[in-house]
Amino acid sequence: MMRHIAFPFLLSLALWGQDKSPLDLLNMTVPPGARHIAYGSDPLEFGELRVPAGKGPHPVVVMVHGGCWSAKLGNMPDRVVSLELLHPMTAAFAEMGIATWNLEYRRLGNPGGGWPGTFEDVARGADHLRKIARENGLDLTRVVAMGHSSGGHLAMWLAARSKLPRTSELYVKDPLPLKGVVDLDGPPDLKATLPMQVPVCGAPVIVNLMGGTPEEQPQRYREASPAEMLPLGVRQEFLAGRMFAAQAPGYEEEARRAGDTVHTVVMAQAGHFVFLDPGSAAWPEVVKSTRALLGLGK
């Protein structure tokens, strides 16, 4: 059921007008403890594992950062489009007893990024949890994927990839099962996002990611856009800010019609990065969605 959170104008300014910028998030102090673990041979094929204190086994959130599927955006520091942007979230989840596996991966501008490398990396990274679970006290029966912005698309795709045909370049046998997926203001529908790619990202990033337009690469869009892979078969939590609020109603309707369980929260005044800030007005919704999928209650 879609829920709109509507605030009077002045209250919305108070809540959302003080959003932290990506640079603010990067400069936040987080405690040490995350381990750098390679899941492939490329320097960008690694994740950071942060495990809570205590014996476990711990539930896990597979985290996928955004950044227009790109290694560089304009004049912004490279760190803005890296896994470092999610460090405050990983620390906050650890305090709640939730482990995080924060993935880095090849993107547009990196050798091997784009189709199919970007998808292969996030898939291989997620599946790597099977190799590190026992020694780190991870509970693989309670794993959810979470992504922000373009990482939200990739997290949704992780939930859908078990439906890929054997003929797909992206097919793998027995992908890691997920309890659900949390999309933080990311696009579930690549075709619907095409008009936004240049105004938001400064380049035709979706066309570049897919190696062509939907007319040129129809099969790739069918195998990489969650909206075209419905039903995903897992519960979906879609937290939409003003970037993707317009896509939320249509996607939820399509997903529910296909048989999926979708819980959507539309915060039409929320900035794009507010979901990544544990001190923001949106953070309680992030926590609520995550705990619900992991079966941890309120």
Side-chain angles (χ1 to χ4, degrees):
M1 178 175 64
M2 182 166 62
R3 183 154 63 91
H4 290 263
I5 297 182
F7 297 99
F9 179 69
L10 291 178
L11 181 57
S12 71
L13 284 180
L15 289 173
W16 310 118
Q18 303 299 319
D19 291 356
K20 287 185 171 63
S21 71
L23 292 178
D24 292 330
L25 293 168
L26 289 171
N27 289 327
M28 291 177 66
T29 301
V30 298
R35 291 177 52 205
H36 182 293
I37 301 175
Y39 63 80
S41 59
D42 189 274
L44 290 172
E45 293 176 332
F46 72 92
E48 290 180 348
L49 180 68
R50 186 179 286 272
V51 180
K55 183 179 179 182
H58 305 285
V60 189
V61 178
V62 178
M63 308 189 74
V64 189
H65 71 81
C68 289
W69 303 273
S70 301
K72 182 73 176 177
L73 280 182
N75 294 322
M76 291 192 291
D78 293 353
R79 297 171 62 213
V80 168
V81 290
S82 78
L83 86 178
E84 292 185 45
L85 200 62
L86 306 187
H87 283 172
M89 300 177 71
T90 66
F93 279 131
E95 292 180 2
M96 289 181 256
I98 300 172
T100 53
W101 177 228
N102 188 13
L103 297 179
E104 193 53 273
Y105 54 97
R106 294 172 295 172
R107 290 148 282 148
L108 296 172
N110 298 132
W115 183 278
T118 293
F119 296 91
E120 291 174 336
D121 281 3
V122 295
R124 188 180 300 117
D127 290 341
H128 195 74
L129 277 176
R130 285 184 168 129
K131 297 183 179 181
I132 61 177
R134 179 174 294 182
E135 64 182 285
N136 291 288
L138 307 179
D139 184 356
L140 295 190
T141 68
R142 292 185 294 166
V143 180
V144 303
M146 175 183 291
H148 171 250
S149 194
S150 58
H153 154 253
L154 292 170
M156 295 279 273
W157 177 80
L158 280 175
R161 67 190 174 117
S162 62
K163 302 186 63 179
L164 289 169
R166 291 178 178 270
T167 55
S168 172
E169 292 180 74
L170 304 179
Y171 173 83
V172 295
K173 184 180 179 181
D174 191 27
L176 181 74
L178 299 174
K179 295 288 288 184
V181 58
V182 183
D183 182 348
L184 303 176
D185 210 22
D189 188 333
L190 291 181
K191 289 181 181 177
T193 311
L194 286 169
M196 300 172 60
Q197 59 182 338
V198 174
V200 172
C201 300
V205 290
I206 295 175
V207 173
N208 293 341
L209 175 75
M210 303 301 288
T213 65
E215 293 74 26
E216 294 166 336
Q217 298 288 355
Q219 187 64 30
R220 291 184 179 182
Y221 283 81
R222 284 193 292 268
E223 295 176 359
S225 182
E228 298 194 44
M229 303 172 76
L230 294 171
L232 306 191
V234 299
R235 180 173 169 181
Q236 299 148 56
E237 297 279 335
F238 188 2
L239 277 58
R242 56 177 175 253
M243 183 77 76
F244 288 102
Q247 278 196 28
Y251 175 76
E252 179 176 334
E253 182 179 352
E254 291 180 19
R256 287 182 175 274
R257 191 184 304 123
D260 277 343
T261 299
V262 183
H263 175 237
T264 304
V265 178
V266 175
M267 305 179 188
Q269 301 300 320
H272 191 49
F273 296 94
V274 70
F275 303 99
L276 311 186
D277 177 11
S280 75
W283 181 249
E285 288 292 338
V286 178
V287 173
K288 181 180 178 180
S289 294
T290 306
R291 291 181 61 86
L293 292 179
L294 291 172
L296 298 176
K298 297 182 179 179

